[in-house]
Amino acid sequence: MTRRPYIVGNWKMHGTRAMLSEARAIDRAAQRHMKVEVALAPPYTLIHPIHREAEQIGVGAQDCHHAEGGAHTGDISAAMIADAGAKFVILGHSERRTAHGETDSRVQAKAESALAAGLRIIMCCGESAETRESGNAVAFVKAQLRGSLPAFEQLLGELGDRLTVAYEPIWAIGTGTAATTDDIAEMHAAIRSLLVELYGEEQGNDVRIIYGGSVKPENATAIFAVPNVGGALVGGASLTADTFMGIALAASEPFDV
Ligand code: 13P
């Protein structure tokens, strides 16, 4: 199955209710780009208000706890974010792996908990600058994914409906300089072959692999032309409807010609 390009905004720790107007503008614009699947992952506090108003975009969270509930002050479970209206959750982002010490096995536990709560998952992976310079980027990312992806039995139904992989090289996040299209092509091909190895030909090819790291309207067309790129996970440029929808437009253009 050929899936629509998936353009996801990760608002990180940005956004109070004053940003609801921006989410509204993104939702309205998304209704004009139906060939692209547009989604937003705002802070937890904005999931419900955006979900309540959104007509077109999907709404998700940026993380969840791996436990179903209990004495975990300050944490939030997959069922809670689903109850607030989230349809998906981003897991294993490098900012959480680094700042919160999240290991591959912890990320895997979160993935299994999220799937059990009926959420789709966007599983992040990506190497540091040091790992890339040492020539081990592909091996590192494959090992990280092997350790973080949920067990196959949990991914019931169409795999592409439940799982998206986001390749986000740490050195490209928030720097203004995206990875080169050659680097993206090499890594996405390696991730594709891992998915086929883990989940079989049909299911492994059904999963979208999206790229993240300084995606903007100016570089989006070139990135979306790379084989095995099924969309983008966008940080800074997702905070305004203009730039975010510029990226969505670039994703819809191949269909318009
Ligand atoms: P930027 O688009 O700001 O580089 O962030 C990428 C990212 O981390 C999305 O999850």
Side-chain angles (χ1 to χ4, degrees), residues 127-137:
E127 80 288 355
S128 65
E130 297 75 51
T131 303
R132 175 144 295 270
E133 277 152 26
S134 69
N136 294 323

Side-chain angles (χ1 to χ4, degrees), residues 10 12 93 168 172-174 213-215 233-236:
N10 173 10
K12 307 192 179 183
H93 193 284
E168 298 204 305
I173 294 176
S214 296
V215 179
L233 184 53
V234 185

